Amino acid sequence: MPVAKGLITTSRLVKDIFYVGYADHGYNNKEEYMPLLINFYFDQGRSVLKESEMHGKHGKNLDAFIAKKNVTRTVNIVGEHSPEGSETKNSSLADERAKAIEKYYKERMKHYNYATKADSISFVTKGIVMDWTPLKGMLDSTTYLTAEEKAQVLNIVNGAGSFTSKEGEIEKLPFYKKNILAHIYPKLRTARTEILVVKPKKTDAEITLLAKGISDGTIKPDTLNEQELAYAGTLTPILKEKEGIYIALTKKNDSWVSHNNLGAVYLEMAKKEIDQNQKMKLVDMALGQFDIANKKKENSAIVVTNIASGLAMKNMKPEAMVQLDKASTLEGNDDVKKGMNSVRGALEIKAGKYNEAVQSLSKAKETPEVLYDLALANLLKKDFSAAKSGFAQVTSLAPNDAWGFYLSAVTAARMKDEGTINTNLKKAVALDKSLTAKAMSDLEFEQYWNSAGFKDAIK
């Protein structure tokens, strides 16, 4: 006795989503700057750079730097003056000192044939006038004054009165000439020169080549530091090369990052593997690495989410959901959170929890696979309008995916829109001829099987 015409299997058309998360390598491949500080000192009341400064330690340091033709972006020069009355009469003195160093710097660049690059360097000069901050800083480090004497100076500086009246009070202190004027003020008659040098780095091509040598044993592991080697893993799309790099990294530092990223490579290999036995072998290898990573850094959201993906790939759905629940309570970046929601959403569709799936997938990254599953969840929960717009977005982003068009046709069938059924089925069959047989037996289209338009669409 016939019980039913058959089964509608639309709910089984969910696309598996397995998130793979790589931990941050910690390497900055952008341009970085290193500050080089050189101070030049001036005589009291003067802004002319002394011969002793030019030919002394500071001048030699600047010459050595310029001679190397280091790539430089900015030179900040701050001129200062000591607070005694004879200097404050010339309010432009600090600025003149800064300008003097800028002029000297450019002359030395010309001497070392570096002048052609001068236009690419930004010189920023300024003078600090009538400001007690430099003196306060000097008081913190000087050994020429006792704690009590420092307190006396600070009481004057922090008290009421003009700059000139305060410096007059300081001059009256019994230890002024012997200690302040003789030892502290000379260090304030300066032009502080900060040179921002571009930090030398290996090019991506160099890092890639060296990493390949490290992974195959032809180059010593210490040729690259840990961050460079971890970064090298991101520079190649070839999974076998990634595997070699991360294996080398596990040997180099045995960190949670290296083990997580090696496991991520195995998980990606498993996603692409056709042979089921080999696929499961790769998943087990991935889970082994994630287990090591999790022991080294317990409760890492990215590791736990990767574990959930591995378990989902082994079709261990309840166990995968346990890990996803755990991951959701952990601190993770936006990419990890979206990743865990994509895996969760696919599992919720399989469990028949369509409302929950819509919520999860709506918070995932909008990849074609996620949008497909989201549209399917809406279809299964009978929100046909959302499903229709969702599959339209899928077919726009993935025009070669026959299933997007097929489920657009299914959605149209549920909405009794025969024209849209035929349009989408025609596109689906053109991309995948096997869908002709499926459509002819799919109960979603039962009432259209004998329609001339339907037959024409799937021929």
Side-chain angles (χ1 to χ4, degrees), residues 16 68 116 193 208 221 223 227 245 266 277 282 298 357 379 386 406 436 450 455:
D16 287 319
K68 290 180 180 178
T116 55
T193 306
T208 299
T223 308
Q227 289 76 25
I245 290 170
Y266 291 138
N277 290 330
L282 287 165
E298 193 175 2
L379 173 62
Y406 188 87
T436 296
N450 295 320
K455 291 178 180 179

Side-chain angles (χ1 to χ4, degrees), residues 367-391:
T367 63
E369 293 78 15
V370 166
L371 292 172
Y372 172 97
D373 278 356
L374 176 58
L376 175 60
N378 277 312
L379 173 62
L380 296 172
K381 71 188 279 288
K382 300 181 180 180
D383 187 346
F384 302 135
S385 178
K388 179 179 179 179
S389 61
F391 284 122

Side-chain angles (χ1 to χ4, degrees), residues 54-245:
M54 294 182 194
H55 302 298
K57 179 178 69 173
H58 306 119
K60 288 179 179 177
N61 286 343
L62 182 61
D63 271 15
F65 172 78
I66 295 174
K68 290 180 180 178
K69 293 183 171 61
N70 293 283
V71 181
T72 305
R73 291 286 179 259
T74 306
V75 178
N76 296 312
I77 307 171
V78 180
E80 299 178 3
H81 67 83
S82 52
E84 69 264 32
S86 59
E87 291 208 44
T88 56
K89 291 176 182 177
N90 186 356
S91 61
S92 64
L93 183 61
D95 186 62
E96 289 172 359
R97 285 173 173 170
K99 294 291 185 186
I101 299 304
E102 179 185 7
K103 180 182 177 184
Y104 176 68
Y105 194 113
K106 290 180 177 179
E107 287 174 352
R108 301 313 294 165
M109 289 178 69
K110 188 181 295 185
H111 176 78
Y112 287 104
N113 296 318
Y114 195 177
T116 55
K117 296 185 179 181
D119 292 341
S120 66
I121 301 175
S122 173
F123 284 87
V124 181
T125 62
K126 72 173 183 177
I128 295 180
V129 180
M130 294 188 180
D131 188 338
W132 292 109
T133 303
L135 176 60
K136 289 180 179 179
M138 195 66 69
L139 289 175
D140 287 338
S141 59
T142 187
T143 58
Y144 288 102
L145 298 179
T146 64
E148 184 181 344
E149 290 169 340
K150 291 178 183 180
Q152 290 182 57
V153 176
L154 285 174
N155 284 337
I156 295 172
V157 169
N158 295 329
S162 66
F163 189 92
T164 304
S165 65
K166 290 178 181 179
E167 66 185 21
E169 289 185 52
I170 292 175
E171 289 178 11
K172 295 176 184 178
L173 294 171
F175 48 88
Y176 170 73
K177 287 186 178 180
K178 181 180 178 181
N179 295 324
I180 297 178
L181 186 61
H183 298 289
I184 296 176
Y185 279 3
K187 293 182 179 180
L188 298 176
R189 302 169 190 143
T190 183
R192 291 186 284 110
T193 306
E194 180 188 62
I195 306 167
L196 295 181
V197 190
V198 176
K199 184 178 180 180
K201 292 184 179 182
K202 300 178 183 70
T203 65
D204 285 1
E206 289 173 319
I207 291 175
T208 299
L209 188 62
L210 293 172
K212 189 175 184 303
I214 291 171
S215 65
D216 62 26
T218 59
I219 294 178
K220 293 181 179 179
D222 58 2
T223 308
L224 294 177
N225 62 36
E226 294 174 9
Q227 289 76 25
E228 289 171 331
L229 188 55
Y231 173 61
T234 69
L235 298 178
T236 175
I238 302 171
L239 293 177
K240 209 56 182 164
E241 291 182 1
K242 283 181 182 286
E243 178 191 15
I245 290 170

